[in-house]
């Protein structure tokens, strides 16, 4: 269901705003019917005739086209919007002080983060490269297990390629330059 539809009240030219129902498309005539909740007894449902409605832009509601129903829904919508504004105006006076405090804390923690990042950049690079090679090995093992379970030749090829790629990355990583980066990163830990 994509839209909320307000059912017609029994024997009245008005809608039941309290119990909308979900519909897949908005009714466009009086010829269709929907199973609606009775306002007097919410546990009881009755088939009631629809009324012409339309969708306004991206609204999730079926808006009445006819005069009296449209006015009723419009008044309810305006009341709702006024209440929303009243809730915002009813916030305590010191509520807006939270925004500058949050900005202050964010800037303090941001400075600490960048200072640590500046000091530990080599360590972060090493952890990223080692994590990537380990992830490549895990993908290779997973694909080999999938080959063992399903017998799919593509899984065997991907598994072997991933493991070989992981081995090559480890071999390239364990050069003299990487060893010096590891020793520099040890001062950060």
């Amino acid at each position: 269901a994509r839209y909320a539809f307000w059912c017609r009240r029994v024997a009245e030219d008005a809608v039941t705003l309290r119990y909308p129902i979900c519909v897949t498309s908005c009714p466009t005539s009086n010829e269709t019917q929907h199973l609606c909740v009775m306002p007097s007894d919410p546990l009881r449902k009755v088939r009631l005739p629809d009324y012409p409605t339309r969708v306004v832009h991206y609204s999730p509601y079926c808006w009445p086209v006819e005069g009296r129903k449209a006015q009723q829904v419009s008044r309810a919508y305006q009341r709702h919007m006024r209440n929303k504004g009243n809730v915002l105006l009813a916030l305590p006076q010191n509520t807006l002080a939270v925004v500058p405090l949050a900005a202050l804390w964010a800037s303090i923690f941001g400075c600490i983060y960048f200072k640590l990042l500046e000091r530990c950049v080599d360590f972060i690079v090493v952890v990223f490269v080692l994590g990537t090679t380990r992830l490549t090995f895990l993908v290779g093992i997973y694909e080999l297990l999938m080959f063992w379970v399903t017998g799919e030749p593509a899984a065997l090829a991907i598994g072997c390629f991933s493991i070989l790629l992981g081995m090559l990355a480890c071999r390239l990583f364990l050069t003299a330059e990487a060893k010096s980066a590891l020793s520099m990163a040890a001062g950060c830990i």
Side-chain angles (χ1 to χ4, degrees):
R2 289 184 48 188
Y3 301 102
F5 173 70
W6 295 287
C7 288
R8 178 186 297 228
R9 285 191 193 163
V10 180
E12 289 184 43
D13 190 29
V15 294
T16 306
L17 293 172
R18 190 169 183 157
Y19 301 105
I21 62 169
C22 295
V23 294
T24 54
S25 63
C26 292
T28 56
S29 70
N30 297 326
E31 297 172 7
T32 56
Q33 294 182 345
H34 277 98
L35 199 59
C36 298
V37 176
M38 293 299 296
S40 57
D41 183 13
L43 299 176
R44 190 171 143 227
K45 293 187 178 183
V46 176
R47 278 212 174 271
L48 293 173
D50 296 333
Y51 54 91
T53 59
R54 64 189 172 102
V55 177
V56 180
H57 301 292
Y58 297 105
S59 173
Y61 299 102
C62 298
W63 296 97
V65 175
E66 297 174 0
R68 190 158 173 218
K69 293 180 193 73
Q71 290 171 357
Q72 180 189 4
V73 172
S74 177
R75 280 193 307 272
Y77 178 74
Q78 288 168 359
R79 258 194 327 271
H80 168 71
M81 293 310 284
R82 255 193 324 272
N83 289 341
K84 190 189 285 187
N86 291 340
V87 168
L88 289 176
L89 291 174
L91 292 173
Q93 288 180 345
N94 297 334
T95 304
L96 296 178
V98 172
V99 174
L101 287 175
L104 176 69
W105 281 112
S107 61
I108 289 171
F109 283 117
C111 288
I112 292 171
Y113 170 75
F114 282 116
K115 288 293 179 190
L116 285 173
L117 184 66
E118 186 179 286
R119 185 166 177 245
C120 301
V121 71
D122 292 331
F123 176 71
I124 293 168
V125 168
V126 168
V127 168
F128 174 74
V129 171
L130 283 175
T132 306
T133 57
R134 288 181 182 151
L135 184 64
T136 308
F137 274 122
L138 288 175
V139 168
I141 291 170
Y142 171 78
E143 288 295 333
L144 288 177
L145 286 173
M146 290 306 294
F147 170 71
W148 186 57
V149 170
T150 63
E152 185 71 33
L156 176 63
I158 293 172
C160 291
F161 178 75
S162 296
I163 289 177
L164 289 173
L165 187 64
M167 290 170 60
L168 177 64
C170 281
R171 176 70 181 120
L172 291 174
F173 183 71
L174 295 175
T175 61
E177 295 162 2
K179 288 180 184 176
S180 69
L182 281 172
S183 65
M184 286 175 29
C188 182
I189 299 172

